[in-house]
Structure formats: structure tokens, C-alpha cells
Amino acid sequence: MTTGTYTLHEDSGMRENSAVSTDVDSPLLRGCTPWPAEVARLYRGEGYWQGKSLDELPREWAQRSGDGTALVSGTDRISYAELDRRVDAMATGLLALGIGTRDRVVVQLPNTAEFVVLFFALLRCGAIPVLALPAHRRTEIEHLAELSEAVGYVIPDMSGGFDYRTLAQQVQARTPSLRQVLVAGDPGPFTALADVPEIADMTVRPQQFPPVDPAGVAVLLISGGTTGKPKLIPRTHDDYAYNARASARVCGLGSDTVYLVCLPAAHNFPLACPGILGTLLAGGRVVMLGSPEPARTFATIAAERVTHTAVVPAVAGRWL
């Protein structure tokens, strides 16, 4: 589940005029290898792939769980219904900014409610999140922005004493495609992420969001490893939704699950194995925490009555 469906390399054709396939009927970006047709037919026939785009899920969750708490981030407690409303508002604002179908947007946010809302909002307006880690710096971000031909970049203002706005200025100067920088917090010379819903022309209604093909690329994940620049791993709506559903079933998640996200949410592990997506699919509650630092983590586990989390061996050893 961690290796992805396709592998997108620097020499895959992304450097042509557009990363979008010249075939208007193709849901894939140029450079992405499709699932074999017979495999896709089998997965659909067996019901593994349900033909729903990920952006549809918050609407279903809102109808199912309504006022139930979906997301906790600091003092912010967001119901399933409110999550869907926030996704609608953010997606409408993104469309007003000119971010839409198949546009790639590099997302480098910490574990906050904004990450979850923005992730689904990008999907809802037809765009594709390129998920970067908070620890990435100029070398990695320039590489990811150039390789994906990103039109947008979303950052915090400051985190861990590092000013991401300075980084954004450097990346934007070297990435011709990058036309929008959105900042969670003080925007400096850029646009505040909190202002995006207000930027929207509110004549854009939810039913006017662009159609999203479930067979198309939903998200570009980064490869793991400690050497070389990260590669991009495209996941489709169909396969990534199944990834989360199957993981949630294997892990026994349900409506009483309280899942703690303390690893960077941009990682596949805390995002969809079963992670944020699997927990929300199961009707549980997601708790966002900025780091796995033991004292704060244990206090959060006690306060929120956390039932599940995901860590790597180094973190588990530190906790012990």
C-alpha cells in the first residue's frame, strides 16, 4: 500500500508543455501508466473500486454522521457537517483564484485542520494535491514544484522557527508555473489561506464544481527513502479510497475510533493506512497533533481517549 499505483519519474514526459494528457478523454496525467484494463474491470466488478471520487466522501459523511465530531485540531472541534461546509467554501475560493481541473498544488502544511480541509477542497475543485513534508526545504520543494508543474503552493507562515514565506519566494522565483502562494497565518507578500473562501464569487455553487473522474489521479504522494530527490507517486480516486477502506477494515476501525495523527499527515501511512481517510470513512474521530513528542502526545491520548495511532519504530522506541 505504500508504493502507489504508478511511478512518475523526471524523464516521464512531464517536462512537455503540459502535464495533462493530450487525450481529452484520458483521466491520467502524461507520464502516468494506467492500470491494465482487465485488472480495472475485475476491481470494479468485485466492488473494490466503487466509482466515487474522493471529493464526494465528505458529503456522504455529513449525511451519515452530521453533528458527530470528525476532526479535532487544538481547540477547533469540527463536525462532519461543518467539515463538508468548510470544504465547499474553500473549494469555491480556489476556483475563484483560477485553481481547477488537473492543476497541481504543492501542500506543505503541518498537522492542522487546514490540511484536511484543503486536501478535500483541492479534490472538490478538480485539482491534485502534491503532498510535501514540513521538513522539506528549497531543494525538495523546487524539485516537486517543477516536476509536477505546480500552479500553487500552500504553506504555514512560521513553524519550528523557520519562515516558509521566504522559502516560497525562492521557489516561486525559480518555478515559472507557480502563480499562487497561500499561507496559513500571516501571509506576508502572499494570500492568506483563511481569506480564500471570502475571495470566492459566491455565484459558484457546489453543483457547479467540475466533474471528477474516479479513474483519474487524485493525489501525488512522495516516495520514501533517505537518498536522492523524492519521486511522485500518483494514486487514483478509486484505488486510494479502496486503500483506506481496506486498511480501516483490517484495523477494526469504527464509529468509536479516535485516531491520533502525530506523524506528518502528508505521509501515506497516517493519511490512508488507515489514517485520516480510513477513520472518517468508518465514522470515527481524527485528532491532529503537530509532533509525536511524548509529553504532549500522552496528554492528548488521555484527553481525547485515543484508540488508534500510527508511528514509526524510532517514535515507538522513544515513547517506550
Side-chain angles (χ1 to χ4, degrees), residues 182-255:
L182 306 176
V183 183
D186 180 354
F190 302 115
T191 300
L193 185 62
D195 290 342
V196 171
E198 305 303 323
I199 291 170
D201 172 3
M202 295 312 293
T203 62
V204 180
R205 299 301 178 189
Q207 63 268 26
Q208 294 177 275
F209 291 135
V212 178
D213 191 331
V217 174
V219 57
L220 290 167
L221 303 174
I222 57 169
S223 60
T226 57
T227 60
K229 296 176 181 177
K231 298 178 178 65
L232 291 177
I233 304 168
R235 303 297 300 266
T236 69
H237 293 266
D238 273 330
D239 84 68
Y240 211 42
Y242 175 73
N243 185 131
R245 282 197 310 273
S247 296
R249 183 173 62 251
V250 168
C251 293
L253 270 56
S255 59

Side-chain angles (χ1 to χ4, degrees), residues 50 52-54 56-58 60-61 64-65 70 80 120 237 240-249 253-255 271-272 274-286:
Q50 297 184 349
K52 297 178 183 177
S53 57
L54 293 175
E56 296 180 64
L57 296 178
E60 295 182 0
W61 300 337
R64 177 203 65 199
S65 302
Y80 277 92
F120 284 110
H237 293 266
Y240 211 42
Y242 175 73
N243 185 131
R245 282 197 310 273
S247 296
R249 183 173 62 251
L253 270 56
S255 59
L271 179 60
I276 296 168
L277 296 183
T279 302
L280 296 177
L281 279 162
R285 173 164 32 108
V286 173

Side-chain angles (χ1 to χ4, degrees), residues 26 44 78 120 129 135 154 177 184 197 199-200 216 226 267 277 284 289 306 320:
S26 171
R44 292 190 183 100
I78 303 172
F120 284 110
V154 187
S177 64
I199 291 170
T226 57
H267 270 304
L277 296 183
L289 193 62
V306 168
L320 290 172

Side-chain angles (χ1 to χ4, degrees), residues 135-150:
H136 283 155
R137 295 297 182 258
R138 181 173 173 179
T139 297
E140 294 89 357
I141 298 300
E142 283 185 357
H143 165 70
L144 295 174
E146 182 183 5
L147 179 59
S148 66
E149 295 181 336

Side-chain angles (χ1 to χ4, degrees), residues 9-23 29-32 104 146-149 177:
H9 299 281
E10 283 187 277
D11 58 355
S12 64
M14 290 286 284
R15 301 303 179 85
E16 299 181 38
N17 290 337
S18 173
V20 177
S21 171
T22 55
D23 179 2
L29 306 180
R30 181 181 294 126
C32 300
R104 275 75 66 198
E146 182 183 5
L147 179 59
S148 66
E149 295 181 336
S177 64

